[in-house]
Amino acid sequence: MEKREIKSSYSVYRLDELTDETKKLIEYAQSKLKDAYAPYSHFRVGAAVLLENGLMLGGSNQENAAYPLCTCGERVVLTYAGAEYPDVEITSLAVAVKNDLKIVLTPASPCGSCRQIIAEYQSKQKAKIKIYLVAEGDEIYAIDSIHDILPLGFDASSL
Ligand code: THU
């Protein structure tokens, strides 16, 4: 038997430690919280991507009375970028969360389905997508590559 280890890490920043560009991206994701359609969970997710051409795109979670059809904020903004700018690299993704019913201090990490979708866009462009996660507390989590939070993931090489 051989045991294989997968190492991963993430960084924790305070806002004043980030570049102006990253701060702007996070603020853009936060500005999208108001557009979330979350009447069922009351959990708002604002997401923003920075493209290599400098453009920022935003999105938010969009829920449905048929719960499984709820679409996550990450997925909305990534598919928007993929549909509207298919040949422009996605440099980074920022995700902000807010619960209308209570204060959430700790950033929320993308759900498993969104991780798979981030992984797809990352492998499509063959360049890492940096991920920034923020809630209402001081800490901002930064993840260098989706592989850090989706170890041993499924991809096209298995097909
Ligand atoms: N949600 C996201 O938008 N992103 C995630 O990564 C996790 C969950 C949304 C889906 C649903 O509208 C609400 O948050 C509660 O699950």
Side-chain angles (χ1 to χ4, degrees):
M1 194 276 270
E2 177 196 352
K3 195 149 193 162
R4 296 180 181 170
E5 260 183 51
I6 302 172
K7 286 193 183 164
S8 78
S9 64
Y10 65 98
S11 309
V12 182
Y13 289 93
R14 302 304 198 270
L15 203 59
D16 60 4
E17 297 174 311
L18 297 170
T19 63
D20 286 347
E21 190 178 59
T22 302
K23 274 190 227 170
K24 251 178 80 179
L25 186 67
I26 289 173
E27 280 164 16
Y28 197 48
Q30 288 169 325
S31 79
K32 294 294 162 191
L33 288 166
K34 68 174 188 336
D35 302 327
Y37 176 59
Y40 306 106
S41 71
H42 307 289
F43 187 76
R44 295 171 181 272
V45 180
V49 291
L50 173 65
L51 304 184
E52 65 170 344
N53 63 9
L55 210 64
M56 277 184 203
L57 305 176
S60 55
N61 57 328
Q62 302 294 315
E63 298 191 343
N64 193 289
Y67 292 176
L69 298 183
C70 294
T71 310
C72 295
E74 296 91 322
R75 223 170 311 167
V76 168
V77 77
L78 285 165
T79 52
Y80 173 27
E84 197 75 27
Y85 301 94
D87 302 320
V88 186
E89 213 172 278
I90 299 165
T91 310
S92 43
L93 163 73
V95 185
V97 295
K98 188 176 181 328
N99 189 323
D100 286 338
L101 308 178
K102 62 177 188 183
I103 297 209
V104 177
L105 295 175
T106 310
S109 202
C111 76
S113 299
C114 285
R115 290 177 199 210
Q116 186 69 23
I117 284 170
I118 298 166
E120 185 71 28
Y121 282 105
Q122 183 167 300
S123 70
K124 176 190 172 201
Q125 66 182 28
K126 298 180 186 67
K128 289 179 184 173
I129 299 173
K130 193 144 182 165
I131 304 166
Y132 296 97
L133 308 174
V134 59
E136 292 179 84
D138 291 341
E139 293 190 342
I140 294 147
Y141 293 177
I143 297 151
D144 285 334
S145 160
I146 188 63
H147 298 306
D148 286 325
I149 55 168
L150 187 64
L152 211 64
F154 180 81
D155 65 20
S157 67
S158 300
L159 294 173

